[in-house]
């Protein structure tokens, strides 16, 4: 970990002694700890559970024998050479898992590569499944960047899966059948322009595709007609020009496809008949207030869709299957104080994994057995917080200066007295994503330190319709930045925030917003914190020239270079009057570390107060425990100093 220090203000990373409720004070590590386990999957026969387990700076692919209640590791990652991505059981004796790692494609272009491996619960060595390559002339060999794209688990076939690789036609994948035991492969369907993503029906046939033309940014949806063998283009449009239409997956009926499309201003779920050239859309699920943004949920027993994930629904799911609705009620009666989501089922659905959490309770995985009528916790995600009574997030709304209503989540520290408290405005990343108000380890850390936290779903966020989200297209730093200032005014006007003790904190896009706020509205804040934030919009946009999605990226950031420069924090450093904490990983492939290095240089040149911490081998997602801990300790010290908190926890 490298540290660079400013000329005008130096802040040392030393432990701070906190005096309030010292006996109950929790260290930063209690919140910055990586979740104990991820991607928990039960085997089809219900004998094993596979999962990724975080141990300090290592992650282990582990398997638990449910009968013996014994666990052992299969593969270990240091989260530097490669990282685990996801896992899935293929049959009771074999599971597949994806890894990803940084590369440069032999052309100096930074990429994340993926590979797919298979391993059995008692094996000692994994097998890489496929590494297609094709030579071009004497110098360039094309190797598929993404080698973990599983299109179908092939129902009824315990050895083969369908995968997509762009072996023959770069960026346009063909479909292969691949043995998870031997790695033997055979082509099933040749690549088809402009399809870049294939979707299989429940019988295991590549039946639909999503196309993208890199030359003009046009998206298209294609479906294969079984009766005529024709590929029909159902929809075509330029990204951002209209609400998205996306195939979600097939019904057990191969002629029925679920799609996501707009209904009364909100993304909803429909079915269409794939035999129709201009298909009628039949509404299946709709929320009048929010977009339904999740994927389909399938029953492993019936192989049919039973519902869809939806963050604003109870338990974050909408079931149209009555059997699943009834079982959900049973689980909710057993776990009444949490949002409960089914994570995995055995093939007969008699055994299952449930994830239970809320804004006040970190996640807990439960193992359930219908035959034994048992439900027991198996993993607490944040063990050091198990006995803590955490404050919950409350959904609030405020009016922006132009009258637009903005939703946000407000979390207040425990034992709040009837007076304003130090506060943090915490804009999310993206920016075309949103907050849902569930457990957030950043928020709980800040609140535990005595700060009120407001997380606005500013315009440009997803979930509130196409028009609302399009404010993030070509409008960085404009009205959606004003929404953050208006959120701050709302906190002050409602007597929640002490106007002399407010900081803006963010990561990725949120880091950009924090830096811009330090220049655009410095009078509102006493400090700003940016993790992996963009400082130069023009440079970030131009980086997309090397990638397939360049047209979409140029549209999203905006094509007016002068406008991008005008709203880039690096060009507004002279207006900054508050101290900044900037943290960035030097192995970040999403927002290059040069974004922060250049900002630091500009701050130095203007003799501004700041602290800069560069995380050696650090990524955009803080996968290493030491990086999370370093960031949280640095924020702890920085916030305590600049918000003048009366009491801070150690």
């Amino acid at each position: 970990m490298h540290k660079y220090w400013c000329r005008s203000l130096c802040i040392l990373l030393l432990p701070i002694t906190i005096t309030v409720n010292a006996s109950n004070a929790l260290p930063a590590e209690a919140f910055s700890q990586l979740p104990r386990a991820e991607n928990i999957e039960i085997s089809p026969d219900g004998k094993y559970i596979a999962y990724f387990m975080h141990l300090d700076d290592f992650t282990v692919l582990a398997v638990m024998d449910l009968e013996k209640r014994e666990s052992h590791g299969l593969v270990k990652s240091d989260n530097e050479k490669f990282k685990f991505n996801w896992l899935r059981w293929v049959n009771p004796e074999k599971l597949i898992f994806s890894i990803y790692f940084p590369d440069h494609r032999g052309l100096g272009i930074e990429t994340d590569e993926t590979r797919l491996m298979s391993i059995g619960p008692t094996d000692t060595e994994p097998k890489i499944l496929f590494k297609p390559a094709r030579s071009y002339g004497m110098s360039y060999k094309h190797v598929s960047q993404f080698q973990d794209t599983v299109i179908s688990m092939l129902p009824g076939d315990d050895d083969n899966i369908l995968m997509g690789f762009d072996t023959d036609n770069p960026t346009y994948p063909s479909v292969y059948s691949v043995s998870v035991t031997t790695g033997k492969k055979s082509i099933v369907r040749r690549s088809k322009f402009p399809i870049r993503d294939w979707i299989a029906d429940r019988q295991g046939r590549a039946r639909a595709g999503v196309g993208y033309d890199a030359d003009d940014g046009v998206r298209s949806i294609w479906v294969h007609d079984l009766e005529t063998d024709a590929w029909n283009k159902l929809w075509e449009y330029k990204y951002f020009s209209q609400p998205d239409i996306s195939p979600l997956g097939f019904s057990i009926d191969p002629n029925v496809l679920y799609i996501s499309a707009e209904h009364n201003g909100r993304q909803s779920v429909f079915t269409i008949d794939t035999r129709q050239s201009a298909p009628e859309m039949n509404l299946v699920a709709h929320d009048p207030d929010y977009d339904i943004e999740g994927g389909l949920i399938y029953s492993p027993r019936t192989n049919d869709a039973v519902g869809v994930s939806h963050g604003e629904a109870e338990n974050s799911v909408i079931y149209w299957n009555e059997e699943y609705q009834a079982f959900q009620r049973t689980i909710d009666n057993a776990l009444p104080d949490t949002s409960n989501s089914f994570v995995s089922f055995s093939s007969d659905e008699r055994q299952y994994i449930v994830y239970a959490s809320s804004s006040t309770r970190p996640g807990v995985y439960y193992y359930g057995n219908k035959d034994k009528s048992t439900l027991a916790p198996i993993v607490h995600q944040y063990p050091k917080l198990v006995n803590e009574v955490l404050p919950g997030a409350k959904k609030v709304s405020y009016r922006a200066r132009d009258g637009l209503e903005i939703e946000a989540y407000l979390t207040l520290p425990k034992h709040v007295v009837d007076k304003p408290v130090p506060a943090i405005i915490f804009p999310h990343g993206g920016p075309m994503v949103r907050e849902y108000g569930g457990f957030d380890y950043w928020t709980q850390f800040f609140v535990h330190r005595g700060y009120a936290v407001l997380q606005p779903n500013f315009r440009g966020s997803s979930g509130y319709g196409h028009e609302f989200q399009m404010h993030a297209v070509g409008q960085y730093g404009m009205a959606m930045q004003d929404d953050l200032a208006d959120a701050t005014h709302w906190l002050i006007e409602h007597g929640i925030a002490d106007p002399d003790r407010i900081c803006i904190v963010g990561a990725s896009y949120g880091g950009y917003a924090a830096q811009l706020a330090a220049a655009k509205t410095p009078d509102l804040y006493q400090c700003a914190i940016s993790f992996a934030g963009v400082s130069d919009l023009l440079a970030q946009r131009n980086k997309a020239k090397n990638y397939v999605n360049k047209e979409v990226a140029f549209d999203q950031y905006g094509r007016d270079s002068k406008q991008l420069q005008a709203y880039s924090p690096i060009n507004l450093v002279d207006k900054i009057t508050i101290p900044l904490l900037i943290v960035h990983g030097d192995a970040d492939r999403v927002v290059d570390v040069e974004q922060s290095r250049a900002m630091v240089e500009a701050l130095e040149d203007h003799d501004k107060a700041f602290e800069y911490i560069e995380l050696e081998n650090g990524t955009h997602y803080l996968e290493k425990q030491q990086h999370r801990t370093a960031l949280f300790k640095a924020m702890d010290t920085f916030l305590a100093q600049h918000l003048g908190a009366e009491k801070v926890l150690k």
Side-chain angles (χ1 to χ4, degrees):
M1 182 173 68
H2 300 297
K3 302 175 184 176
Y4 297 82
W5 305 102
C6 63
R7 285 194 297 252
S8 51
L9 177 65
C10 293
I11 306 168
L12 298 178
L13 289 179
L14 297 175
I16 294 182
T17 300
I18 295 191
T19 58
V20 165
N21 297 326
S23 61
N24 297 322
L26 293 174
E29 293 88 336
F31 299 90
S32 65
Q33 176 186 338
L34 286 162
R36 181 57 57 89
E38 293 182 296
N39 291 90
I40 293 186
E41 293 282 340
I42 193 167
S43 62
D45 59 2
K47 292 183 178 180
Y48 298 100
I49 291 175
Y51 56 98
F52 298 132
M53 179 171 58
H54 296 299
L55 299 170
D56 296 323
D57 273 329
F58 294 93
T59 301
V60 177
L61 168 56
V63 169
M64 176 190 291
D65 185 315
L66 286 171
E67 183 177 346
K68 298 178 181 179
R69 290 303 173 102
E70 295 176 351
S71 296
H72 63 279
L74 299 177
V75 184
K76 183 172 73 171
S77 166
D78 64 0
N79 291 317
E80 288 187 10
K81 294 179 181 178
F82 73 88
K83 304 174 184 69
F84 292 115
N85 201 9
W86 55 264
L87 63 86
R88 183 103 179 258
W89 289 93
V90 179
N91 60 59
E93 300 301 326
K94 194 71 70 175
L95 61 91
I96 54 177
F97 64 96
S98 164
I99 64 171
Y100 65 101
F101 56 91
D103 201 1
H104 52 74
R105 310 298 292 154
L107 300 172
I109 300 173
E110 293 184 344
T111 61
D112 279 330
E113 307 281 315
T114 66
R115 301 290 184 266
L116 192 66
M117 320 280 275
S118 68
I119 197 168
T122 59
D123 292 346
T124 57
E125 291 291 335
K127 180 179 182 60
I128 187 167
L129 289 184
F130 199 39
K131 191 174 181 180
R134 179 180 177 184
S135 297
Y136 289 84
M138 299 296 291
S139 59
Y140 176 64
K141 177 181 286 187
H142 174 71
V143 177
S144 291
Q145 178 184 352
F146 303 112
Q147 297 183 26
D148 67 338
T149 304
V150 175
I151 299 169
S152 173
M153 301 301 286
L154 291 179
D157 188 335
D158 281 346
D159 186 60
N160 295 287
I161 58 177
L162 279 191
M163 299 185 67
F165 301 101
D166 61 344
T167 309
D168 306 309
N169 191 1
T171 74
Y172 298 100
S174 297
V175 181
Y176 290 82
S177 174
V178 181
S179 168
V180 299
T181 304
T182 66
K184 182 180 179 180
K185 56 190 179 293
S186 58
I187 194 163
V188 173
R189 187 178 291 281
R190 295 286 181 185
S191 63
K192 176 181 175 62
F193 179 85
I195 293 176
R196 297 179 188 269
D197 295 292
W198 296 93
I199 298 169
D201 61 20
R202 304 311 292 172
Q203 290 71 35
R205 298 166 294 199
R207 290 282 315 290
V210 178
Y212 172 67
D213 189 333
D215 291 332
D216 55 16
V218 169
R219 189 172 191 262
S220 52
I221 311 299
W222 301 75
V223 174
H224 179 237
D225 189 317
L226 291 173
E227 296 178 0
T228 65
D229 197 36
W231 280 89
N232 299 318
K233 182 169 62 177
L234 301 185
W235 295 283
E236 181 180 72
Y237 59 93
K238 187 175 175 62
Y239 268 100
F240 307 135
S241 67
Q242 67 172 61
D244 279 342
I245 301 175
S246 300
L248 298 175
F250 283 85
S251 164
I252 191 67
D253 181 342
N255 294 314
V256 175
L257 176 67
Y258 289 90
I259 67 167
S260 171
E262 189 182 61
H263 176 69
N264 290 341
R266 295 292 182 266
Q267 287 295 118
S268 305
V269 178
F270 299 82
T271 57
I272 63 169
D273 188 329
T274 61
R275 294 168 295 189
Q276 299 175 351
S277 58
E280 177 184 355
M281 296 194 299
N282 303 296
L283 186 64
V284 175
H286 171 68
D287 184 327
D289 299 315
Y290 303 98
D291 294 329
I292 297 176
E293 301 180 282
L296 292 178
I297 300 169
Y298 283 94
S299 163
R301 180 169 52 84
T302 67
N303 197 30
D304 203 1
V306 295
V308 64
S309 299
H310 177 39
E312 285 288 349
E314 186 176 0
N315 297 303
S316 299
V317 65
I318 298 173
Y319 286 122
W320 47 76
N321 178 281
E322 293 182 359
E323 185 178 349
Y324 268 73
Q325 291 173 356
F327 190 48
Q328 180 73 63
R329 288 193 292 270
T330 299
I331 297 301
D332 292 344
N333 289 334
L335 304 171
D337 299 323
T338 51
S339 174
N340 310 306
S341 304
F342 295 113
V343 173
S344 179
F345 281 95
S346 60
S347 58
D348 61 4
E349 297 187 1
R350 304 305 297 172
Q351 297 176 74
Y352 56 94
I353 305 294
V354 169
Y355 184 68
S357 68
S358 71
S359 64
T360 65
R361 299 189 179 190
V364 180
Y365 285 101
Y366 288 80
Y367 163 65
N369 189 310
K370 291 183 179 180
D371 295 326
K372 297 180 180 180
S373 298
T374 57
L375 181 65
I378 53 174
V379 179
H380 289 273
Q381 291 291 71
Y382 291 82
K384 295 178 182 178
L385 300 180
V386 169
N387 297 320
E388 286 296 308
V389 178
L390 302 173
K394 177 184 178 183
K395 184 184 289 186
V396 298
S397 64
Y398 63 93
R399 293 281 179 183
R401 61 193 63 184
D402 61 356
L404 184 65
E405 184 174 351
I406 306 292
E407 283 193 344
Y409 289 92
L410 175 65
T411 310
L412 298 175
K414 292 186 294 184
H415 313 303
V416 172
V417 295
D418 189 20
K419 67 175 184 179
V421 297
I424 290 173
I425 301 295
F426 188 24
H428 59 70
M432 301 173 77
V433 296
R434 59 158 298 181
E435 297 287 357
Y436 279 100
F439 175 80
D440 181 87
Y441 70 102
W442 289 61
T443 297
Q444 289 297 339
F445 171 65
F446 295 142
V447 172
H448 189 69
R449 291 300 192 254
Y451 309 114
V453 178
L454 187 67
Q455 299 167 271
N457 279 328
F458 47 86
R459 73 189 76 198
S461 302
S462 66
Y464 299 90
H466 176 73
E467 182 179 352
F468 189 92
Q469 190 176 30
M470 288 305 101
H471 285 283
V473 178
Q475 300 181 50
Y476 280 47
M478 299 182 189
M480 56 181 176
Q481 185 72 23
D482 294 338
D483 290 345
L484 302 179
D486 293 341
T488 310
H489 286 299
W490 181 86
L491 276 180
I492 296 170
E493 291 165 1
H494 283 74
I496 299 168
D498 181 341
D500 295 323
R501 294 191 293 173
I502 304 176
C503 187
I504 182 166
V505 180
S508 195
Y509 174 83
Y512 159 78
Q515 292 183 52
L516 185 61
K520 193 174 182 180
T521 52
D523 293 343
L524 278 179
Y525 308 104
Q526 280 63 57
C527 60
I529 298 176
S530 167
F531 171 73
V534 172
S535 65
D536 187 336
L537 292 174
L538 184 61
Q540 183 71 5
R541 185 203 69 178
N542 289 344
K543 181 182 176 182
K545 291 179 179 179
N546 297 320
Y547 301 94
V548 171
N549 66 339
K550 60 184 178 182
E551 289 299 313
V552 174
F554 268 61
D555 283 341
Q556 181 176 344
Y557 281 99
R559 296 180 181 273
D560 186 334
S561 297
K562 291 184 179 180
Q563 177 180 301
L564 293 177
Q565 291 174 323
Y567 289 99
S568 291
I570 197 168
N571 298 321
L572 303 170
V573 170
D574 61 312
K575 300 181 184 301
I576 294 176
T577 59
I578 60 175
L580 279 78
L581 169 62
I582 299 176
V583 184
H584 213 126
D586 66 5
D588 193 329
R589 293 299 183 96
V590 180
V591 177
D592 195 277
V593 68
E594 290 299 330
Q595 288 278 340
S596 286
R597 289 176 178 172
M599 186 67 177
V600 165
E601 185 175 344
L603 289 166
E604 285 244 345
D605 290 343
H606 287 78
D607 202 30
K608 299 296 181 177
F610 73 92
E611 176 188 347
Y612 178 48
I613 300 175
E614 190 166 296
L615 305 173
E616 185 176 4
N617 293 320
T619 68
H620 198 69
Y621 303 107
L622 291 169
E623 287 108 335
K624 289 187 72 68
Q625 184 60 68
Q626 62 176 299
H627 295 155
R628 287 198 182 195
T629 301
L631 171 63
F632 272 50
K633 286 184 175 180
M635 291 194 299
D636 203 4
T637 304
F638 186 82
L639 290 170
Q641 178 168 348
H642 295 292
L643 292 192
E646 296 171 359
K647 299 171 182 181
V648 189
L649 298 176
K650 185 175 182 179

